[in-house]
Structure formats: structure tokens, C-alpha cells
Amino acid sequence: MLKELFFIIVSSVLVNNFVFSRFLGNCPFLGVSSKTETAVGMGMATTFVLTMTAVAAYFIQHYILMPFGLAPFLQIVSFILVIASLVQLVEMVVLKISPALYNAFGIYLPLITTNCIVLAVALLIPLKNYNLIESTIFGLGAGLGFTLALILMSGIREDMEFGDVPDALKGPAIVFITAGLLAMIFLGFAGLVPL
Amino acid sequence: MVKDFVNGLWGENPIFRAVIGICSALAVTTAGQNGIAMGLALTFVLTCSSILVSILKNIIPSKVRIPCYIIVIATFTTIVDLFMKAYFPALYQVMGIFIPLIVVNCIVLWRAEGFASKMSLIRSIADALGMGLGYAWAITLISIVREILGSGTLFGIHIMGANFTHWVIMLLPPGAFLVMGILVGIMNMITRKPVKNTHCH
Amino acid sequence: MGEYKFITTSSPHIHSGESVQRIMFNVAGALMLPAAAGIYFFGLRALVLIIITTLAAVLTEAIFQKLRGKPITVWDGSAVVTGILLALNLPPGLPLWMAVVGAAIAISLGKQVYGGIGMNPFNPALIGRVFLMITFPVQMTTWINPVDGTTGATPLQIMKMQGVSTDYIKLFLGNIGGSLGETSAFMIILGGLYLLYKGYIEWRIPGFYLGTVAILSVVLGRDPIFELLSGGLMLGAFFMATDMVTSPISRLGKIIFGIGAGIFTVIIRFYGGYPEGVSFSILLMNAFTPVINRYTVPRIYGEVKVR
Amino acid sequence: MNQYTRMIVVLVAISLAAGALLAFSYEVTNPKIQEQAQQALEQAVMKVIPGAEKMTTVEKEGMTLYIGTDNQGNKKGIAFKTTGSGFSGPIEIMVGYNPKEGKLTGIEILSMSETPGLGARIKEPAFTDQFKGKSVKDDFIPKKDVKVITGATISPAAVSKAIKSSLATVTKIYPVGGDF
Amino acid sequence: MLKTFRGGIHPPYNKDLTKHKPVETAKLPDRVIIPMSQHVGAPCEPIVKVGDLVKKGQKIGEARAFVSAPIHASISGKVTAVEPRPHPGGGMVMSVVIESDGKDELFEGINAPKPLAELSPDEIKNLIRESGIVGMGGAGFPTQVKLSPPPGKTIDTIIVNGAECEPYLTADHRLMVERPDDVVLGLEAIMKATGVKNGYIAIEENKPDAIEAIRKAIQAKDGIELVELATKYPQGGEKQLINAVTGREVPSGGLPMDVHVIVDNAGTCAAIANAIKTGMPLVERIATVTGTAVNEPKNLLIRIGTPFSEIIEQCGGFKGEAGKVIMGGPMMGLAQSVLDVPAIKGTSGILVLAKNDVVLSEQSPCIRCARCVDACPIHLLPTTLGKFAERGMWTEAEEYHALDCIECGCCAYVCPAHIPLTQLIRLAKNHIMAAKKK
Amino acid sequence: MPNLILISTLSMAGLGFILGGGLVIASKKFAVENDPRIDEVLGALPGANCGACGFPGCSGLAKAIVEGKAPANGCVVGGQNVAKKVASIMGMSDAGASADRKIARVLCQGGKAEARLKADYHGVKSCRAASMVNGGPKGCPYACIGFGDCAGVCPFDAITMSENGLPVIDEEKCTGCGLCVKECPKSVIALTPEKNEVHVRCRATLKGKDTRAVCDVGCIACKKCEKECPFDAIHVVNNVAVIDYEKCRNCMKCVEACPTKTITAAFTERKKAVIDDKCIGCTICAKNCPANAITGEVKKKHAVNQELCIGCSICEEKCPKGAITMVRNGQKANNHCASCNAAK
Ligand SMILES: Cc1cc2nc3c(=O)[nH]c(=O)nc-3n(C[C@H](O)[C@H](O)[C@H](O)COP(=O)(O)O)c2cc1C
Ligand SMILES: Cc1cc2nc3c(=O)[nH]c(=O)nc-3n(C[C@H](O)[C@H](O)[C@H](O)COP(=O)(O)O)c2cc1C
Ligand SMILES: Cc1cc2nc3c(=O)[nH]c(=O)nc-3n(C[C@H](O)[C@H](O)[C@H](O)COP(=O)(O)O)c2cc1C
Ligand SMILES: Cc1cc2nc3c(=O)[nH]c(=O)nc-3n(C[C@H](O)[C@H](O)[C@H](O)CO)c2cc1C
Ligand code: SF4
Ligand code: SF4
Ligand code: SF4
Ligand code: SF4
Ligand code: FES
């Protein structure tokens, strides 16, 4: 059991990193990776939401959709509805309870609804037949993988400020190329974990 | 109206200019036909959602607008999902999870929030079609590059000769990012704006 | 006293005389040792490969700079080093055109898109190699056996697949299958010592890198000497992990870099899909370098207040 | 209407409409989807059992087996699914087996996520065809009994291993030379 | 083991040009230009007018502020101008120009005070101030101010800085060889003035004759110790020196007195000794005139205010084509563009480099080799600071401690990419300070 | 199977109700006071939440804009239009040309061609850095060093460096923010009233002959301008002429008098007064003209002697009927090109 959980983490952080090998969450990856501070905040917020979503998705799948046979067509709608509301709820609660916490990561929450990692995690959980604990860990791993990608990219981008990137490549282009190189490097982990 | 349409095709092309909704643009673009199919699927969802959002824009209270828009988008996405499963099972297998993910494709919400919820129905449709097709041609272009180099084929037809060494990387994640980056760069070069004369305007 | 117009500059008014060019050509010189071993074991083919990649690297750099309208600085020798190192990382039998592609990718995507020397986040030669590795996996894993010229497996592949070790002496001298310049640990160490003596590389990176691999091997029940001598570890530790552009600047950062590279190398070698993890590990630590630099700013003189 | 009531009403109304619309679409498409799935399955079975035109499904000892028959109702072979653990994920394989002859009649890769250009070449006939006519007694050792793909030995090995291990069960149910 | 610090460099010292040459007294200048600002702190107010007759040692600039030091005429003659003149530190500074009458008459008010043993601490400090003594190690901080720590700050150690780590310069070296007793007397005066019992004279081991001379001079003295230092630049930097001698670290942004130390240059000590022995204010100093483009490199005893041109003339003029004239040493000295600037109290040397010796390499991008990081005696990250400075990121530079840079030049000296790191950091410091003032 | 439709409709409605209710409760319970402008700005933004601005989503940017931490044009995707809308919400519509608008002007003309160098400077190409090396390489210690620090700090791109190595300020773009003034180590740039067209472009307090030795266009303190000025607006102080901008009427007399061309005007042509038919012949203008350029009989339309008029505008100001306009090159005189008038 522990071994499986460990594999799930390693797989979603390194081997099948959500950004570099599953192509998920690229828009915020592109947008929020220019400063390390922001990257860390965004990463933490996403990890939090992902973990919560994983749990929520598990319950909806197992206690609403499956019993009534609604899974094939209501999955998407119900998941996204829950995610959107959850995110908004968390945002409001955090804002009220701790403005400091809100400033640290709450402000990233609205961005997360449109982060496709969240829905993808929700959809992958039924697909992979994970149980509750596995689902939670999967959500956590996805978040950590995303955070790692963000931090690496933000560090490189901060250094790039001092570089002399050709004008045409400035902005998203060089970020994509760098992401490509990072994805290439992450392929080194290919075959690390039997899946 | 025409302007709204062309805007999505070129000026604010979601992939190359606004650089948004790129996950699917990277994930499914291993072969030309995937690009076209994904593009059409998105265009459908985008257009339907834009129509509905534009119609409902005055009814929906702003506090719950995001959940509402998302439900609308999710509904249309599921419809596409079901239809693809029913009628194009082979394609469906390739695109896997990325059809459902149209829901969170940033383009859709971007246009719903940013355009359809403010503009007239007609303009919204024009905009949605422009954006959708802009997305479609962009990802088809990416697909073509990756397919030719990675498999030596174009829409499934061998074009590179028998001895062609496949560039495996092109079909793998890094290839997607690299092609995307280079194409965005080329696009920047083509559309690089001449220095604007801001002296007297 | 006549009319003089003196030169004014800010202090200091003298300079050590060290230059980028000098460093690079010294490194290139040191690389000639493993290169010589490669040519000795793999024949003329190896020499051709080295020349081709070097030319391709230099040419790519010149073309890129020309296109950008920037001064052409190929004489600083960094492209030469990249070219040679790339060749030393390739299977001796690789089709030449692939080597050219590798060199072009190394310089363009690995270096020039970031603005050229000093600004690249990743080790360009390794970017070239990994690109080739993933793009042309078959050709990149076709190894020539130096003894009889047939194709065969590298000691690490044999280890991974069959769990069989290779003679230490052979590993040390280099008459084994493998990349052109990685086989002869002896020559690499010689070159590395020269660079250490000249002060062009820092002992911390290779020291901690090799040390980590050795210790982890022992801990995980492998043969540390075999692990140290086989594959690209020596070449990587002395010539590639030490690339100053892509490694941390502080001492502590260098130590972390070495240890990290060691851990990843071991993980990939022992548990991953690839028999060898040196290139990936170094590149991965390259990616971590900005973060490391950020969090290992040294304590400055007088920073901790004295009561 | 109070703004909060309105929020709820709108949200509920939209959810309601969405639910209805989706359920309706599902009703429309579901038969077709099932049909497609069935068709795909049949196609795969036909492919691995040469000459089969029809199939019947039997459940035995926890395994689902598909028995292929030709138009005349002659049994041409049985097919079953097995899963191997490949380089980057599970590989689903449909295997055709003729107990009478004790030979494989063909295999088909149903799904896999191996590396395109490398492991993915297990899908190609060049690889799959070699299993046609192979004796089930064979050891299925890669590089010896099974031709592998250069640069990617893991995927073929996974396929071979999966076939071999599932054959162990299947040959118990339908022993070689026996009827089915 | 020789005492030293971490970081630093080993440039070629080139001290052989002058280290064996005894100090020569320069000939009386025809004209001196005496700037009213030769020290850290408020400039002096000129108290003479055009046409006034002044004598050697007469006060011509009054120090009104606490952090300031009075200025005295270095020759006798007539004041011909009181106007802004070019200053070796750059820019125009109010100066008194005196035309020599050739008589070099001593001002009447100058007489030897009581011997040291009879002077009270306050009398010593007052004498130091009235004699216009400022730090002669380069910075020119009024010495008396240093000796009067604010209440609450205690001093337990005085270090005489005899490191003279700058290449080429030998002024302190010759001083310690020729007048060791003056250096020791100065130190004794400082110790008495501050009531400190611990005195060190720290000298780099590449000056064995100076070490020998000082050792002899302190034989009979209590509480004074000789410290031999490793030869490494910037061993003479006060923070490095304190670290090497006492193991203490001056806190960031702090002063030596925060670690209970005062550092004074050997020349400063000799000037104090001179004031005690003769009552003569600071009107002359030893300067090394050297470099590859000077015909006869020398150690000269010069009058404050002598124009550079005249000093160089006395050393046989230029040899070949002079490329750069530097006041001070090659690591920290200030490049000059004209030769009619005067020598001031802090002029420890004039270095003239031949045109061919002036390195003007093209700057290339930083290769992150971290040589600068290893060389920096403050353990800063010069490369990072340089990058911040190039992009005007002043706040970031401040976060990375730009203000702690002592501008020693080590980083720029070693940089293989020839990046003017020291200048960039200096620029950053200037911006940060400007922003602070606002 | 209407059953399935029913179930799904019900469960979706339930889900919608629960979540909607949750949101309502939350938004009541956790309501937080916000600057209403944040919502307004948020409304103007495209709402893509793309994060390209470097802020976390559109609301992040909106907040930053309202708090003044981000510029109005912070949205990368939105472009000009969005920026304009945001600016108007924030009340940042451009400052406009008020009467006493100040703009930066360069008070040195000693470029590469005119000013002599005293040294061959090498090092960081920054004016401030160079000024810290022996006061800079120029012979004149007050001269513009010409590395363009000012151009670098100008947030509005109003400053460009000329071929001759002097900054040129685009007076349209200059907002008078004064950053260049603070940046310049030589205090060569000064904020001056926009209405003033005549400036002494030299700040060297060197003695006349010293200035002449280092610069062709420096003020040599000859005092010719002082003598010419009809309005007592220019004086030589500390070896350099200084204009009292309050008194100066842009008559350009001093410009003509200056032998070193140190004083410049924004225009080559002097503007001239023209009297139109509204003139009732009150003679006020004629009485006030310092140049005695207006003639005419009482109650008759007056005329300006274009030769004598020095363009000081006094008559224009004094005329009770508004009959006098200042004209330059046939157009109504204005400090700026005519096409810009509409925009203001
Ligand atoms: C990006 C990448 C993807 C790979 N994918 C596969 C794969 O799908 N299947 C496989 O068997 N080997 C794959 N490999 C190769 C394995 O890592 C391993 O080296 C190989 O299976 C060993 O086979 P060989 O003995 O024929 O060289 C891949 C390698 C790389 C670089
Ligand atoms: C405001 C101020 C007060 C100072 N007070 C003292 C002091 O009390 N004791 C002391 O040893 N030095 C004092 N100094 C001088 C410095 O320690 C130091 O000698 C001077 O800054 C030059 O050092 P440098 O030549 O190493 O740059 C003071 C400096 C300043 C600016
Ligand atoms: C890098 C550096 C090197 C220095 N080298 C010397 C030196 O060699 N000898 C010296 O007397 N002062 C040197 N100084 C100045 C000392 O830090 C310190 O200011 C001086 O010794 C104080 O004595 P003073 O006030 O009598 O000049 C150096 C300063 C710096 C920043
Ligand atoms: C000690 C040392 C090691 C180097 N190693 C590499 C290397 O592994 N790969 C490479 O492309 N360049 C290497 N270079 C050359 C150079 O640093 C490299 O081209 C830069 O990364 C280009 O910006 C090395 C240079 C030095 C001095
Ligand atoms: S000049 Fe400053 S940054 Fe450079 S080595 Fe010296 S103290 Fe360090
Ligand atoms: S010494 Fe020069 S090249 Fe090396 S890191 Fe420092 S600034 Fe960069
Ligand atoms: S005006 Fe000042 S800041 Fe601008 S270029 Fe001249 S000296 Fe530099
Ligand atoms: S322009 Fe006319 S008014 Fe102004 S200072 Fe010159 S002379 Fe005087
Ligand atoms: S499409 Fe925008 S985050 Fe995936």
C-alpha cells in the first residue's frame, strides 16, 4: 500500500509530471512562472485545491454518479461545478479568516478554476479506480508536480531577465522552448516507476 | 463583425498571440487529423457557449456567473464528448481526456467572460467562430509539423520516403513544446509590429 | 609637460589577464586527453566525429549571431568546447548527419536562444546529446565494441540487463563500448586534474558528485568502483557538471549541485528506464541552479551582528 | 427578487436544464456508443481469429472469453484479453488461440501508451504477425523466441510476458488439443 | 601561521621599483594648490584672501564642523587665487593657490608642545585636530573624530595598518623602515588619547626590513605587539585587517569601533608623532611616484598642494607614452585626466602606467565562473550585483548587500569576462545612497 | 427512460441548489469590504485570468492597479483599449496641458561635436558611473556626459539620444515627472514651464575663458543677452546666464544676441502680433508695446509693424477686445504643432 502511494507521488511529480509530460495546466504555468515568489504561492494554492478536489471527486463519483448511473454524462458537469464552487468558497473563506493567507495564496485561487489540471485530476480518479487515500495522494502529487514545474521555470525565467533572448522569442516562445527542454530532461525519469 | 471574426483568426489568435488554451494544443497534436478534429470540437463548444452566454448575460447575477458559464460550457462539452464517442471512436481514443478538458480550456471561459458576456449575440458568434477556427488552424499547423517530422506522414500519408529516420522527439512532450515555442517565435517575427509613430495621434 | 589625453577608468586599473577565451581553450585542450583515448580505441571515425561536431557547433553559433546582427564571437572558444564535448558524448558509430543535428540543436536551442554564452540555463552539449538520445534512440544506443569493431552493449547496459560487471582495468583504461570520450576514466581524470590545477574547475562539484554516487552505491548494495568508472559519470563530473555557466555560484550551491546530481544519477541508473542517468541528472540540476543560487546566498562578512 | 434568491434560482435553473439536456443526449447517443464498443470488440476478435465471423461471449473461471465461429457455426478459435505492464503504462492485448492446434492465431494490441516510434511499434504487423501460429508451449523469451524492437526491448517483453502468463490460465480451461 | 582573511587576490606587487629607495625630499614647489576638502566630512572655509601672505604651517582653512579637519599652508608665499580648481577626486573644489616666495618660512605659531608623557588625552586629541591630521591610508577620515568614540562605545584595541597591500606603493613601507620610532610614538599617542592598553602594528610579511625595524622600535614598549600578515590583497582593508588581527568581524554597516577597534595608517601615526615632536601640522607626506611610465620611480616627501605635473617632473618625467595617471595604487586609486591637480593629504602615491600596460579589454557576457565570488573579501556575489546594476535594479542590489562592498576591486581584477564589476557596484551604491537621502 | 432524465435533472438541480446556497451563505457571511474600483477595473479587464500580466489572474491585476502597484496598461492581452478604459476608471486620464505644465529641458548643447574631452574614458556606459571617474570625461565639468541615463529612466520614452550624444526630449511625451532630472548626475536637465520657448543651454559656472577652452557653445558670460533683454529677464549669475522664466516673454532678443549660440529658442521664427477687425482703436496696445511696433490712430484700426514686433505678446494680453492674435508662419502661434491641438 505504502509502496503504491509512493509510486503515485513519484509518478505524478517526476515521471509523468503534469506539466511536462501530461500537458496540463500550461496556461497558469506560462503566466505565473515569471517570479519565484508568485510561483511558490500559486503552486501551494493549486496543491491545496487539487487535494480537496480529489477528495470531492471521489465522493461525488462514488456516492452520486455511480449509484444512479449518471457517470457517463454528468461527470464533467458535476465535477466542474463542484470545483468552481469549491474554489470560490475557499477564496471567500480564506479572505475572511486570514487576509495574510489570502495575500500569500488566496489571490491565485480564481486562476485555478481554469487550470485544467484540476478537472483532469477529478476525471482521472474514476478512470484509474483509485480509492480514497490513493485519490488524495494523487491530487497532492499532481499539485506538487505542478509546483515543481513552476518553481524550476520561474528560477530560469528570473535568470533569463539578465540574458539576451532574441526579440522574436521573448515572452511565451522562449518559455515554451525552455519547457520543451525541461520536458526532455524529465524524460530521463521514463520507466522509473512501473505503472 | 468581420473584424471580430478575423481577430480570432489572426490578431488575437488564441494559440499564437494570446497563448491561451494550450494544453490541448500540445497534447493532441501528434497527427494532422487530430488537430482538425480537436479544433472543430472546440469551435462547436465555444460557439454554442458564446451564444448561450450572450443570451443569458443579463439574467445571470455576477456573483455566480463563473459557475453558470462553466455549467453551460460543460454541458456542451459533454455533448461533444458523447457524440465523438458514438460516432468517431478512433479519434476519441487518441484525444482521450482532452475532449472533456475543453471545459477548462481557457479560451472558452476567456471568450465567455471577456466577449460574449458583454457583446451582442451576432458579434459573439462571429468572435466565437473566429476564435475557434483560429485555434483550429493553429493546432493543425502544429500537428502537421509534428506529424511530418515524427512519423514522416501528412494526414496519414507517407511523404518522406522509406528511409526517413523518424524524429521520435516530435511525438513526445518535448517535441510539442519545442515546436510550439518555435512557431510562436516565427509568428512574432511575421507580425512584429513596425515601431508605431506615437508622436502625434 | 605636453598635451596629454590620459585614459580614465574606474579602479581597479590592473587585471589578472584571465579571459574567457583562455579558459575555453584550456578546457578544449584538456578534452584532448579523453578525445585521444577515443580516437585510439575507436579509430579515425572518432576523429571525424569530433571534427564534424566542432565545426557544426561553431558554424551554428556564427550563423545565429549573424542572423541576429550581433558580433560573431566564435573565437571565444565556447562553441568549440561544446562541439568537442558533444562528440565525446556520442556513440562512435553515429551517422554524421545526426551528429551535425545534435551540434546545431546544442548551440541553437541550448545556447543561442537564450542570448549566447553565459546566459544558457542548460548545458548545451548535454542538450544536444539528450535531444539526439530521444530523437534517434536506436542509433544513439548502438555501441561499437573497441576490441573487434562489432556492435555490442555498454558495461552499464550489460549491468542493467544481465547484472554482469566488467573488469576494472578495462573500465579504467577505456577499451570498452560506450560514448566516444567517456570510456577512458584514466584520461578523463588526467584532464580533470589539469583543470583543477589551473583553477578552471572547482573540486566541490566533481567531489560531491562522485562521492554521492559512491556512497549511494554502497548503501544500495552495488559495486561503487564499477559505478564510478562506468558510463559517462567521470566525463560528466569533471567536464560537464563543472560548466560554470550552468552550475551554482556559491560554494554551498556547488555542494548541493554535486549531491543532487549524484542522487538523480543513481536513481535513474538503478531504477529508471535508462541504463545511464548522468546527462539527465546534470541537466536536471542545471534546472535547479537558479533556485539553488537564490537560496544559497553566502553569509557576507559582518552579517551576523557582533554584540 | 432578492439578489441571493436570484443567485440560487439562476444556478439551479441552469443546472436543471443542463442535467436534462445531458441526460437526453446520453439517451440518444448511448445505444450507438455501446454498439461502437461491441463492434470494436468484435472486430478485434475477428482479427485475431482468422475465419471467424461471429462471436459468443463466455465467462469461465473469472475470465471473459470470446469464441469465434464462422458463418456455418464452426468454432474457429477463442480470443481473450490480457494486460501487460509496458514501458509507460498498461498494454491491452487481444489474443487469439486455437486449442485444437495448440497455437496462437494472432494478437492485436487494443490500447497502450508506449513511446511513439519506439515501444509503440508493437502495434505494427511486423511485430504482431510473428505470434501467428506460435505454439502456446513456446517460452516467449524476448530476443530468443520473440523478435524484439531495437531500442525498445521492454515493450515487446511486456507483451510476451502478458501472453505467456494468461495462456497459463487459458490452457487450463481449454487444454491443448481439447475441444471448446 | 600568518594571519589573514578569506577571499582576496594575489596581484603582481611590483614594489621592487621603489621599495629599496630611501625617501627623498622633494624640492620646494613654485606654487601649491590647496583644496579646502581633503578629507571625509565638511569642507573647510578658506580664511585667507587673494593677496594675503602666508607662511608654512599657517592655517588657511577653518574646519567648522565636527567631522572635518583644518587645512594649513604648506609653503610660504602669496595667495594668488581662492577659487574652484580641479581636484584629484574629480570635480571642482574651492582651493587656495599660493605662489611660493622661495623662503619656506615657518609660521610663528608653530612650536613643539609638551612631550607625550605630559600631554593629557584631550590635549593629544586637540593637537591632532588642530594639526589637521586625517587618515593617510586613503579614505582621509579626520583622525581625531575616530579617536573620540561616542559615549557607550568602548575601544580596547588600536591597530596600526602597515599592510600596504596595494601593488606598487611603498610609502608606508619606507616610512616604517626609516622612521619606525615615529610610527610607534604615534601609536603610543593614540593609545594614550583613547586609554587603550593594546596596540598592534600589522605588517605584511613581504616587508621583512620594515618588520625588523618596527620590532626593534617596540622592544622596550609595553602593550605594543607586531603582527605579521600574509601577503594578500586587500589585507590592508580595515575590515580584513581587524578580522586577521583580532578575529572579530565588523558588523555589516558598522564601524570598527563597534568591535572596539580603531585602525590607523602608519603614515597617520607618523604625522601625529611629528605634530607632538615639532608642533608642525600636516603639510607634507610621503608619496610613492612609480609605474612603468615614470623615468625614475621614487619615494618622495612632498608638500601638500604640489601639482602632479611638478612631482612627476622630479622623477624624470614620463618614460615613453603615459597611458594612465593614477592617484593611489592600481587597485583602488583614482585615474586622473589632467596633471594640474594637486597632491593632497591622502595621496599615498602617483602611479603612471604606460599606454601599453593599460588593459582595455572588451567586456563580454558573464560566464558565471564565480571567480569574483571567491575573490570578494566581503563574500558578496559581485556577479549578481553587477547584473542588478546593469539593469538599474537598485533595490535588489541593496538586498544583496551592495552597500557592504569596500570597492577593493578584487572582483573586477579576476573577472575573465572583463566586466567592470567594481564600477557597477559603486554605481549601485551611489544610487542606493541617493535614494536613501531622499 | 424518462427515469434517467428525471434523476439527472433532480441531482443536478440539487447540486446546483446546495452549491448555490453555499455560495450565497458564504458571500453573506464572509463579505469583505472592497474598493469598488477593483470590481470596476476587473470589469474592464478581459477576464481571461491568463496570468500573463504576472499577477495572479485578472482580479490580482485589478487589485494591483487600484493599489497603484501596476500600471493601467498592465494587461498584456487587453492592449490599448483596455488600458484606456482602466485609466479612465482610475482617473488617470492624461494630465492635459495645463497652463503651468512643466516639462524637462536639456540645458547643455555640448555634444560630441562641440565639447572637448579631457580624457579617454572606458568603463560602464552610464553617465553617473562616468561622472564618478574623475568627474567624467568631458572637459567641462558641467557638461552632459551623453551616455543617456536620462533616456533610460524616462518611463514614457520621451528621451532619445541624438547622434551628437545629447538627449532630445519629445515635449509631447514628456509628462514632467522629473525622473530624468533626478537621474542626471550633472544636473543638465531641468523642469521648466512649458510655455517658455527660450532657454540658456549651458550651466557651466566656469570663467568665460575656461568655458571657451572646453566648449564651442558654452556661456562665456559676455552679458550681451543681459543688455538686450527688454524685460530684465536674463542675468549672468556666477559666470552663466540665467533666465527668469516668470519675466521672460519669449521675444528671442537674447537668442539673437548670444555670440556662442548658447541661448536657443524652440522656433527659428519669432511670432508676430496681428490685429484684426475687432480692433476699436483704443491704443492700449500701442502704449504697452515695448518695441513701439504698433501704430494707429485713436478709434481706428491699429497696425503692427512686423519688422519691429518682437513677439512678446504683451499687446495680445492687454487688448480688451481680443483683437490681437500672435501668428507664426501664418498660423496661430502655439508652442506645439497645430495637429496636436485637437487632441488636447
Ligand atoms: C523517451 C524514451 C521512450 C522510450 N520508450 C520506450 C518504450 O516505449 N518501450 C520500450 O521498450 N523502450 C522504450 N525506451 C527505451 C528503454 O529506455 C530501454 O532503453 C530499452 O527498452 C532497452 O532496449 P534495448 O535493449 O533494445 O536497447 C524509451 C527510451 C526513451 C529515451
Ligand atoms: C560618521 C562616521 C563616524 C566614524 N566614526 C569612527 C569611529 O568612531 N571610530 C573609528 O575607528 N572609525 C570611525 N569612522 C571611520 C571609519 O571607520 C573608516 O576609517 C573610514 O570610513 C575609512 O575607512 P576605509 O579607508 O577602510 O574605507 C567613522 C566614519 C564615519 C563615516
Ligand atoms: C580595499 C582596501 C585596502 C586598503 N589597504 C590599505 C593599506 O594597504 N594600508 C592602509 O594603511 N590602509 C588601507 N586601507 C584603508 C583602511 O581600510 C583604513 O581606512 C585605514 O587603515 C585607516 O587608517 P587611516 O584613517 O589612518 O587612514 C584600505 C582600504 C580598503 C577598502
Ligand atoms: C570547466 C568547463 C566545463 C564546460 N563544460 C561544458 C559542457 O559540459 N557543455 C558545454 O556545452 N559547454 C561546456 N563548457 C563551455 C561553455 O561554458 C559553454 O559553452 C557555455 O555553457 C555556453 O554558454 C565548459 C566550459 C568550462 C570552462
Ligand atoms: S569590489 Fe566590492 S564586490 Fe568586488 S570584491 Fe571588493 S568588496 Fe567584493
Ligand atoms: S568573475 Fe566575471 S565572469 Fe566570472 S562570475 Fe564573476 S562576473 Fe561573471
Ligand atoms: S543629460 Fe544628464 S543623464 Fe542625460 S545624457 Fe546628459 S549627463 Fe546623462
Ligand atoms: S527671450 Fe526676450 S524676454 Fe526672454 S530672456 Fe531673451 S530677451 Fe529676455
Ligand atoms: S488549457 Fe489553459 S491550463 Fe490547460
Side-chain angles (χ1 to χ4, degrees), chain E residues 40 67 135 137-143 145-150 153 155 161 236-240 242 250 254-258 261-264 332 406:
Chain E
V40 174
V67 182
F141 194 82
T143 303
V145 179
K146 270 204 214 180
L147 302 188
S148 325
K153 300 274 177 192
I155 302 296
N161 189 345
E238 101 191 329
K239 292 183 171 178
Q240 287 63 42
I242 293 170
V250 181
L255 291 168
M257 62 181 180
D258 293 327
V261 178
I262 292 176
V263 178
D264 273 305
M332 295 192 67
I406 57 169

Side-chain angles (χ1 to χ4, degrees), chain C residues 23-24 27 78 81-82 85 111 117-118 120 123-125 200-201 239-240 242-245:
Chain C
I23 296 177
M24 291 303 163
V27 174
S78 66
V81 173
T82 302
L85 264 166
K111 182 174 173 189
I117 185 167
N120 46 314
N123 189 320
Y200 293 144
I201 62 178
F239 287 96
M240 316 202 70
T242 49
D243 175 12
M244 57 262 285
V245 174

Side-chain angles (χ1 to χ4, degrees), chain C residues 76-126:
Chain C
D76 67 15
S78 66
V80 172
V81 173
T82 302
I84 298 176
L85 264 166
L86 177 63
L88 297 189
N89 271 293
L90 297 176
L94 191 77
L96 290 180
W97 71 268
M98 287 188 186
V100 172
V101 169
I105 292 286
I107 294 293
S108 58
L109 290 187
K111 182 174 173 189
Q112 287 297 335
V113 295
Y114 294 99
I117 185 167
M119 300 164 200
N120 46 314
F122 304 111
N123 189 320
L126 286 177

